[in-house]
Amino acid sequence: MPTLAHWAKELNATYPLLSDHDGSVGQKYGVFIAQMRLDNRATFVIDPQGKIIEIVEGNAAIDPAGAETACTRIKKH
């Protein structure tokens, strides 16, 4: 997706980004808002074993600094 490629480049992200255009992932992770048919903004940090170690939702998830802070926590695990 071009938008994600732009953000990944701007952030120098070395981790995958996901755009949940149909809400299917948001439903599985519990952040889908059915009445609005969209996901609450969320950053999930998932360790190499697949365990969720950090969830940032709402305004903090929109701010790239919040996502970067969440992602730095994976280094501590």
Side-chain angles (χ1 to χ4, degrees):
M1 180 168 238
T3 303
L4 290 181
H6 168 83
W7 281 109
K9 183 177 180 181
E10 186 171 313
L11 296 170
N12 293 319
T14 58
Y15 45 83
L17 303 176
L18 168 75
S19 178
D20 188 20
H21 65 278
D22 67 357
S24 62
V25 176
Q27 289 176 35
K28 292 176 183 176
Y29 281 84
V31 296
F32 185 71
I33 304 168
Q35 306 90 301
M36 299 176 75
R37 302 209 32 82
L38 56 84
D39 294 337
N40 184 27
R41 294 284 181 173
T43 298
F44 291 85
V45 180
I46 303 170
D47 74 11
Q49 290 73 41
K51 179 182 175 189
I52 297 172
I53 59 170
E54 181 81 18
I55 301 171
V56 180
E57 292 187 76
N59 289 338
I62 294 170
D63 179 3
E68 289 179 38
T69 299
C71 290
T72 61
R73 293 187 177 131
I74 199 167
K75 295 176 183 176
K76 297 177 183 177
H77 289 269

